Amino acid sequence: MGVKKWGTKPYYSLDYYFKSIYGQKIYKIALNAGTTCPNRDGVIDTRGCIFCSEGGSGDFAEKINEENPDIKMQIEAGKLRIQSKITGGKYVAYFQAYTGTYAPVDYLRGIYTDALSDEDIVGISIATRPDCLSEDVLALLADLQADYPDKFIWIELGLQTIHRKTAVYIRRGYELTVFEDAVRKLRSLQIPIIVHVILGLPGESVDDMLATIEYLNTFQIFGIKLQLLHVLKNTDLAADYYDKKFDALSMDEYIDIVIRCLTHLSPDIVIHRVTGDGPRNILIAPLWSTDKKVVLNTLLKEMEDGKYYQGMNYENSGFFNVI
Ligand code: SF4
């Protein structure tokens, strides 16, 4: 292995980060807070991002009672599932489905507090859009940071790409400057940011994807999720796929792209994901991605054989540094 600084992995994994902070594995409980999304409710669009499933990209989140998305109950259900395999578990409450900050602030205060007040929860991670971080929401996050100094509050931003042409195609619904503004505000509150990037978006070359990575290197973000583009049932992306407007990546292509991205990524950025879970029941392509173990093992072996590691091609040029 080229580098030993992250334990057994050639990159700075979330697992390694958690073990170095808490001395144990931390499990994620994916939640559905019953929020919606402005890209679905008509405020921006009614169709959603072109790849987004009916579950609002939260297909693994706990199932909810629409009238009462009881966060405490979801957390207990999540713990029960994990506790059958472990003892003394600690958890992250992950507000995954739809847009986790898109609701009245009092409601958000309630659901985040429900999670933060649980003694087994070490922190919360909220997936959202950069255009859904109003001053009220930011003030709430700052309050909660003060109220729960021993717990973390992370924000996950679905950027997917820096390229405007692709952003328009996927109907992301906001400009890159909106992302930059959100990062600036979150950083001023010292809220760690995790950015979601999709690899294999139609029309993007490997150089385009690497440009997104190089751009993110300049923002001092905390973490990144590298996600394979999944084609899911009942999405407009699926219609384009059936019309042969693009091809899904093969496993070899994907692994090659992930390795390139990792070698170009700052070694300080924590890798929260290198694959992406396609829900089997609605996944159209690529079907190889359902075998996450094989994907991960192949990635690790190729990195080991090639002596690749995170940051080996990273140059801290400060070229784009807008913060
Ligand atoms: S912003 Fe998220 S929840 Fe909303 S449509 Fe896009 S992927 Fe789906």
Side-chain angles (χ1 to χ4, degrees):
M1 189 70 67
V3 159
K4 294 285 183 196
K5 78 190 229 197
W6 301 298
T8 55
K9 294 224 173 86
Y11 55 83
Y12 190 1
S13 70
L14 180 61
D15 203 42
Y16 182 83
Y17 170 83
F18 275 142
K19 282 185 182 146
S20 64
I21 302 283
Y22 299 100
Q24 68 178 91
K25 188 172 172 63
I26 304 293
Y27 295 85
K28 192 172 281 185
I29 299 176
L31 304 170
N32 186 337
T35 51
T36 60
C37 169
N39 215 10
R40 285 179 163 274
D41 71 4
V43 169
I44 296 172
D45 205 311
T46 52
R47 298 167 298 170
C49 298
I50 197 166
F51 51 79
C52 183
S53 65
E54 285 168 51
S57 300
D59 301 286
F60 293 102
E62 298 296 328
K63 301 294 169 240
I64 59 161
N65 168 348
E66 296 290 340
E67 271 128 51
N68 182 22
D70 190 319
I71 293 300
K72 287 186 175 174
M73 271 177 59
Q74 289 185 45
I75 289 174
E76 286 314 313
K79 279 191 207 173
L80 267 181
R81 209 162 328 105
I82 298 163
Q83 272 165 355
S84 59
K85 297 172 224 153
I86 56 154
T87 51
K90 295 287 176 196
Y91 308 89
V92 183
Y94 176 33
F95 290 89
Q96 179 183 36
Y98 299 100
T99 299
T101 59
Y102 189 57
V105 168
D106 285 344
Y107 176 77
L108 295 176
R109 186 184 296 278
I111 58 173
Y112 301 158
T113 303
D114 278 350
L116 287 164
S117 58
D118 185 308
E119 61 180 20
D120 295 329
I121 297 285
V122 294
I124 64 174
S125 196
I126 307 163
T128 189
R129 298 170 54 90
D131 54 0
C132 290
L133 290 165
S134 65
E135 293 305 321
D136 286 354
V137 168
L138 292 169
L140 167 64
L141 298 177
D143 281 355
L144 292 171
Q145 275 185 319
D147 291 347
Y148 296 92
D150 298 336
K151 307 213 171 181
F152 62 78
I153 297 172
W154 295 344
I155 288 288
E156 305 198 16
L157 296 175
L159 176 69
Q160 324 309 359
T161 177
I162 61 166
H163 301 288
R164 191 164 193 281
K165 195 173 161 208
T166 322
V168 169
Y169 170 71
I170 64 173
R171 303 195 298 251
R172 190 181 64 190
Y174 67 82
E175 296 288 342
L176 201 52
T177 50
V178 175
F179 170 80
E180 290 168 358
D181 194 41
V183 170
R184 197 176 288 119
K185 288 175 177 164
L186 290 166
R187 284 208 43 220
S188 73
L189 294 174
Q190 298 185 310
I191 293 176
I193 301 159
I194 297 140
V195 179
H196 296 194
V197 171
I198 296 182
L199 303 176
L201 285 166
E204 290 211 346
S205 65
V206 176
D207 282 349
D208 290 335
M209 297 178 233
L210 288 178
T212 295
I213 297 297
E214 300 278 6
Y215 168 86
L216 290 173
N217 279 337
T218 66
F219 285 85
Q220 292 178 282
I221 58 169
F222 163 61
I224 192 168
K225 280 186 176 171
L226 298 172
Q227 318 204 82
L228 166 69
L229 178 72
H230 284 120
V231 182
L232 302 178
K233 282 182 190 163
N234 301 320
T235 61
D236 289 339
L237 186 70
D240 282 1
Y241 177 72
Y242 285 131
D243 284 347
K244 301 201 181 317
K245 290 187 182 162
F246 71 96
D247 277 332
L249 292 176
S250 69
M251 188 168 96
D252 285 351
E253 286 170 325
Y254 184 70
I255 283 174
D256 181 60
I257 292 167
V258 171
I259 291 174
R260 285 179 193 225
C261 288
L262 289 174
T263 63
H264 282 261
L265 193 69
S266 161
D268 299 328
I269 295 176
V270 177
I271 311 299
H272 288 237
R273 185 179 284 171
V274 286
T275 53
D277 295 311
R280 279 168 198 260
N281 55 335
I282 56 168
L283 180 68
I284 295 171
L287 292 173
W288 55 262
S289 66
T290 55
D291 202 340
K292 214 168 142 188
K293 219 179 219 174
V294 168
V295 180
L296 273 176
N297 287 343
T298 310
L299 172 70
L300 291 173
K301 181 163 188 326
E302 291 208 7
M303 290 190 82
E304 185 169 345
D305 290 350
K307 300 199 176 347
Y308 300 116
Y309 57 89
Q310 182 179 345
M312 65 189 290
N313 297 319
Y314 166 66
E315 279 175 34
N316 188 7
S317 63
F319 168 60
F320 261 121
N321 212 337
V322 296
I323 298 297

